[in-house]
Amino acid sequence: MKKTVLITSALLGVAAGTPALAAPIVVSTLSSWDGSSSIGDFGSSGFSGWGQFLVAPTGSNRLLDFTFLLSDALKGSNTNAVPVEFTAHLVQYNPFTRFIVGPLLYSSAPVTVPLTAGLDFHTYTFDIDAEVTAGSTYMMFLFATNFELRIPDDSRLRLATANTDLGGGAYNIPWDAESDLDELLSGQWRFTAGQDLAFSATFDFRPANEVPEPSTAALLASAGAAGLWATRRRSTTDRQR
């Protein structure tokens, strides 16, 4: 069974009322996935990070969304196995030096993948709507936020892989398998040329006058981020009383 999960953006996007042009550009390897091929492990007993990089196509200036196929491949017989929790991130990437360029362009809220006894793939789509530059390379990667767990029977994730060779792209893993997020952002990555994850990415072009002002986008974040801010603010106010 394949299920779909939509992850809302921490950036202001189309859902907030900003119109996009009618012809988005979809870069996808999903059609070449055979329904079972995958690679891993990602999580407490494997790599802390895993991703895919690609070149923003000509005529685009926004990345609207990104999709991965993930399966929680339960290891061992421990009935109290801990599921992998991860966050998704978008960065600009230099495939020649294999270093991330600049700051995070998008970060998702934490996601927990349901435990399964076998390869039960779920489709995870991240609604991003971030500014990109056509011809530049970008990487969408996942980071296991509970990677420090060292329980032998912890679960771990596998990512679906496609039987295709995407020009200018490949799957990516960090040199240091157990890097934390700061190390992933500053350290070197490695990849196998010609191998891609099963993924899709939707690009679009939007004139500058249709993109919200930065101050507005900063105030109108996702509902989850706004709720978290409000909760922290109430908690701080209560302590001050």
Side-chain angles (χ1 to χ4, degrees), residues 4-220:
T4 301
V5 179
L6 176 64
I7 312 299
T8 57
S9 174
L11 301 175
L12 187 65
V14 175
T18 302
L21 296 188
I25 303 170
V26 178
V27 179
S28 178
T29 63
L30 294 179
S31 62
S32 65
W33 183 51
D34 61 13
S36 61
S37 295
S38 62
I39 196 167
D41 290 330
F42 165 64
S44 61
S45 300
F47 283 82
S48 60
W50 212 295
Q52 170 79 33
F53 65 86
L54 74 166
V55 177
T58 301
S60 67
N61 67 358
R62 310 291 297 180
L63 174 57
L64 301 185
D65 60 53
F66 206 105
T67 295
F68 281 132
L69 301 177
L70 301 173
S71 174
D72 189 302
L74 185 62
K75 302 294 182 180
S77 59
N78 189 345
T79 57
N80 295 316
V82 179
V84 174
E85 181 185 84
F86 72 87
T87 50
H89 305 275
L90 175 69
V91 292
Q92 189 172 351
Y93 179 70
N94 187 327
F96 301 103
T97 64
R98 300 192 300 280
F99 281 97
I100 289 171
V101 179
L104 287 166
L105 303 177
Y106 163 84
S107 294
S108 76
V111 178
T112 301
V113 179
L115 291 169
T116 61
L119 293 179
D120 182 14
F121 286 92
H122 296 242
T123 303
Y124 288 85
T125 297
F126 302 89
D127 181 15
I128 299 173
D129 194 10
E131 181 179 359
V132 298
T133 301
S136 295
T137 302
Y138 295 86
M139 177 169 65
M140 184 76 180
F141 72 90
L142 308 181
F143 170 69
T145 58
N146 59 350
F147 183 77
E148 70 277 3
L149 293 172
R150 286 292 180 271
I151 303 172
D153 288 322
D154 275 348
S155 61
R156 63 200 76 172
L157 298 181
R158 294 189 67 85
L159 292 88
T161 54
N163 183 26
T164 187
D165 183 358
L166 180 71
Y171 77 75
N172 232 14
I173 49 181
W175 273 109
D176 182 358
E178 301 182 5
S179 299
D180 62 26
L181 183 57
D182 288 339
E183 291 170 334
L184 291 182
L185 295 175
S186 61
Q188 195 170 38
W189 290 65
R190 55 189 168 123
F191 61 88
T192 302
Q195 295 193 16
D196 298 298
L197 299 178
F199 79 96
S200 70
T202 305
F203 293 86
D204 205 353
F205 178 82
R206 188 175 304 150
N209 60 1
E210 292 185 2
V211 178
E213 293 294 330
S215 58
T216 303
L219 291 174
L220 299 177

